[in-house]
Each structure stands twice: as structure tokens, then as C-alpha cells.
Amino acid sequence: MKIVHVLTRLLRAGSEENTLACCLAQARHGHEVLLVHGDEYDPRLRASVAGAVRVVTLEKLINSISPSQDVSAFGQLTRLMRDWRPDIVHTHQSKAGIVGRLAAREANIPCIIHGVHILPFVHVGRAQRLIFLGAERLAAKFTQAFIDVSQAMRDICIANHLGSADQHHVVHSGFDLARFANAQWPQDPYLLLGTTAGEPKPPVVLMLAALEPRKRHVEFIETFGQVVDRIPNVRLILAGEGPARSAIESAIERSPFANNIRMIGYHSEPERLISLADVCVLTSMREGLPRVMMQYLAGGRASVVSHLPGVEEVVKHGVNGIVTPGEDVGAAAAAIADLLQNEHCRARLADGAKLTDLSSWGLDAMCDRVELIYQSVLESALSSARPTETRIRDGLAKQPLGLLGF
């Protein structure tokens, strides 16, 4: 198969890591893979896959709404797809999902698939909701399949008339489970925590999240005083990179508890940070079903997470984590302080996390499931193909059956 993946941004976040894992697996299976991303990207992340798949940057494909640049990006994508003639276009993220599917339609691509990592019309203002929902409904008319990261994403799509039930497939965002289950502390943890060598480890709270406004780092920093008041030597580690870095740095500078907060940027071994933490937290206001929640569970740590669509699929309140109201960041801070002061409760949640069945979040499970969906969509396209559309059939005939999921 010839496969094109289209992303708005290529940064170190869940949807990007999910997409890259699929690209690499598909390349290993012998498929031709092209990854197209917009103007925001991490050069090191881009380089990490460039040897296995072809990578193209479109400077006009940007995250914000810009009619002139969006039209240019549409034209560039259409020409690229006409030249490369893929069998499947798989789009990810909101802007690339809309522009990419429109371009694939214009280029007469037989199979168009969209990955629903997050929904742009949820928890936004009325005007934004109407714009994004209208665009999503337009693109849905010529989308053959949707790959949803959670059952809740699927249900919201169907409720808003974005595809029929049989077009939606739930595939959890996979990662290496053993890597998190067996992790050890980072080397020289005192350097991360701002303590001295040999000093006992203070209580540690970890937020592992891309630095984006929807993750609500700033709001959490502003309420973190509730935790410090009760546990004065606590440390908050903020790990991640992203466009909101300067706003978060300013919030730390303003905080009277700045000495308790450590902003460490991107860390190549997040599993070691989870191992070091006593409580993990995520205060996002808008997500799909974030993979970091599962990483906290796989690492066997008590966690406090904001209520998001689908969170109940894995985080059971009081059993393997604490779920706080989505609109109340202060409730997350209060719950963290409670856990840090209640070792028995914290240990019970950690035990519950270790017992959580995360098998469907395995990396191989995700990649194999996506491959089967591709095959199903291609078979449907072949069954309804016109006589002139022999290109797909010829391409499939050249592939060993084992590479197509059989």
C-alpha cells in the first residue's frame, strides 16, 4: 500500500507519537509511507523517522485559522497527492484533518481515513464550535472511516452526525507498556528536584503534558499553593514542551511558591519521571483519551485527572485514580494534597493502577488494528471500483498477503 499521513503539527505530544509509531510499523511491513506535517515541528522528532519514511513539510499548513494560508495548504496537498497517488490518506489533528481530507477528495484518493485524537468543537466558544462543526461535517461526507482514540470520541462524533456507527473504529493510543511498568528513578534525581545529594526525596507531584493552554498548567500553578500550604517541601515537576512555555514560565515567576516548582522541558525517559513521582496529575480541559493517563497507570502511580470524555473507560474514581470536575482545577490541587497526606489511600490507588488491564494500549495492538482497518477500507473500495480504477487492484496484487493483515 501507499499511505499518506497528514498532521498539522509534529511536536512531542500524544497524537504525533501515535502517528509516528504507525508510520514506522507500516514501513517495516513493506508499505510506502509519506508523512506530511505543517509549519510547527520539532526537528529532532522529524529526523528520528526521516530514514524510514518520506517526510514533507508544508509551511502553509498552520494550526490557527487563516483562509489565505489554508487555501494554499489545500492546493499544495492536492498537488502532492495527485503526484504521489496514494491508496490511503490518513489525516490527524483538527486542521490537517479538514484541509487534508478536502485535498484527498479533490485528488480523487480512493480511501480517506481520519484519526479522531481530539474534537475541535468541544469546550470552545459558540462561534468556534459552529465553524469547526460545520467543517467537520463537510469533511465527514467523503471520509470512509474514522479511527477514534476512545469510545467517548466515537459517541460524540456519531451524536453530531460525523459519520455513521459502522464507519467508526475505536483504537487506543498505544505505547510500550513494559517500559513504564519496569521503570526506575532517573539518575541523580536531586538535580531534577533542586535538592542536595543524599537528602531524602521530598514528596513529588508530576504533570507530564505538552505545554499548551488546554492543559491548564497556568491555572494549576495558581492553585498549587493549596498543596504547598499542607506539604511545604513538596516539588511539582512540569515535564514537556510546547507553545505555552513563556506563559507558564511567567506564571511560575509570579507564584510565591516558585521554589517548589521545577519546569524541566522535554524528557526522553518519561517513565522514570513517573517512577519518581508520588502523585501524577493531568488538568486538561479538552482531550481525546490522553495516553499519559495510561502511562501513569502503567507506571503504578496514584493519579489525579480532570474529567474528560472517555476517562471513565480506564480511570475508576477511588479505585485506580481520582477524577476531579473538569471545570475545577482547584479540586485537583486539593485532591493531590489529600493523597500526599494519606499514604494508605495513595498506596491503594497505586495498587489499583498496577492491576488495570491496559492490554489494548499496547503498541503492537494499536498498529495491527490500524492495519486491519486499512485493509477493510481498501477491500470496500475495490468492491465498488469503476473499471478505470485498476491502479489500486494492481498495487494490492503486488503485496504479500502477510503484509496486508492476513
Side-chain angles (χ1 to χ4, degrees):
M1 284 185 280
K2 295 184 72 173
I3 305 163
V4 173
H5 290 268
V6 188
L7 282 161
T8 309
R9 299 188 292 192
L10 187 60
L11 302 173
R12 295 188 182 275
S15 61
E16 290 94 319
E17 292 177 0
N18 170 303
T19 302
L20 293 181
C22 285
C23 287
L24 293 173
Q26 290 157 8
R28 286 195 301 270
H29 288 173
H31 304 304
E32 294 182 66
V33 182
L34 170 63
L35 175 66
V36 182
H37 64 82
D39 71 326
E40 292 183 66
Y41 65 95
D42 183 326
R44 292 170 296 179
L45 193 59
R46 187 185 196 278
S48 71
V49 298
V53 304
R54 181 183 172 191
V55 185
V56 172
T57 303
L58 292 187
E59 300 293 341
K60 299 296 184 180
L61 183 58
I62 62 174
N63 189 54
S64 58
I65 297 174
S66 171
S68 62
Q69 297 207 62
D70 295 344
V71 169
S72 295
F74 165 77
Q76 290 176 330
L77 276 170
T78 301
R79 290 189 293 274
L80 186 153
M81 292 177 191
R82 283 175 174 163
D83 290 343
W84 212 62
R85 302 181 69 205
D87 302 302
I88 288 177
V89 169
H90 186 168
T91 61
H92 311 263
Q93 303 171 342
S94 302
K95 174 66 81 67
I98 294 166
V99 177
R101 282 180 285 169
L102 289 171
R105 170 71 170 180
E106 183 69 15
N108 199 30
I109 304 304
C111 300
I112 303 172
I113 295 174
H114 180 55
V116 184
H117 304 270
I118 190 171
L119 291 168
F121 55 85
V122 175
H123 296 307
V124 295
R126 177 175 171 79
Q128 283 182 293
R129 173 179 168 79
L130 291 174
I131 291 170
F132 278 116
L133 188 54
E136 289 283 352
R137 285 176 176 166
L138 173 63
K141 291 180 178 179
F142 38 83
T143 304
Q144 279 74 49
F146 299 83
I147 297 179
D148 309 286
V149 297
S150 72
Q151 182 71 31
M153 291 292 100
R154 172 190 180 277
D155 293 346
I156 293 172
C157 284
I158 294 170
N160 284 278
H161 310 292
L162 302 178
S164 59
D166 61 347
Q167 289 180 294
H168 283 267
H169 310 267
V170 176
V171 181
H172 293 141
S173 185
F175 62 98
D176 184 346
L177 295 170
R179 177 181 171 188
F180 287 81
N182 303 318
Q184 303 296 316
W185 285 10
Q187 289 187 338
D188 301 326
Y190 65 92
L191 296 176
L192 288 174
L193 300 174
T195 58
T196 58
E199 180 182 344
K201 182 184 80 70
V204 176
V205 177
L206 171 68
M207 182 185 287
L208 188 62
L211 307 184
E212 299 177 0
R214 64 188 174 90
K215 306 286 187 176
R216 297 194 291 195
H217 291 82
V218 171
E219 293 87 341
F220 183 65
I221 290 167
E222 291 171 349
T223 64
F224 190 64
Q226 294 183 53
V227 183
V228 180
D229 286 343
R230 293 166 61 180
I231 304 96
N233 65 332
V234 67
R235 294 292 189 277
L236 169 62
I237 297 178
L238 303 176
E241 280 293 354
R245 168 176 271 276
S246 60
I248 296 167
E249 288 175 335
S250 296
I252 294 172
E253 291 174 4
R254 294 193 304 268
S255 173
F257 309 104
N259 291 335
N260 297 83
I261 303 172
R262 308 288 292 177
M263 188 175 179
I264 65 172
Y266 168 73
H267 196 283
S268 62
E269 297 179 308
E271 71 279 6
R272 289 181 176 266
L273 298 179
I274 293 172
S275 176
L276 182 65
D278 296 284
V279 178
C280 298
V281 60
L282 188 69
T283 56
S284 302
M285 65 179 294
R286 187 164 57 90
E287 293 269 14
L289 183 56
R291 189 169 52 168
V292 70
M293 286 186 183
M294 271 51 72
Q295 292 173 345
Y296 292 165
L297 294 171
R301 288 295 176 268
S303 59
V304 175
V305 298
S306 296
H307 185 269
L308 296 162
V311 68
E312 65 281 352
E313 294 176 35
V314 283
V315 182
K316 309 301 181 184
H317 181 74
V319 176
N320 60 359
I322 298 296
V323 181
T324 56
E327 69 282 359
D328 190 353
V329 177
I336 290 167
D338 289 343
L339 286 177
L340 290 177
Q341 291 185 322
N342 189 333
E343 184 176 354
H344 174 74
C345 183
R346 195 167 70 246
R348 178 168 52 81
L349 293 178
D351 288 341
K354 293 172 186 175
L355 293 173
T356 304
D357 180 9
L358 297 173
S359 56
S360 63
W361 273 269
L363 198 57
D364 290 341
M366 175 187 73
C367 295
D368 291 347
R369 178 77 174 120
V370 169
E371 184 103 354
L372 289 173
I373 293 167
Y374 284 6
Q375 180 62 25
S376 175
V377 173
L378 274 173
E379 287 177 351
S380 296
L382 285 174
S383 67
S384 59
R386 298 185 299 274
T388 56
E389 293 176 330
T390 58
R391 174 177 61 82
I392 308 171
R393 184 180 293 104
D394 292 342
L396 287 174
K398 296 176 184 178
Q399 292 285 3
L401 289 178
L403 299 182
L404 297 176
F406 290 96

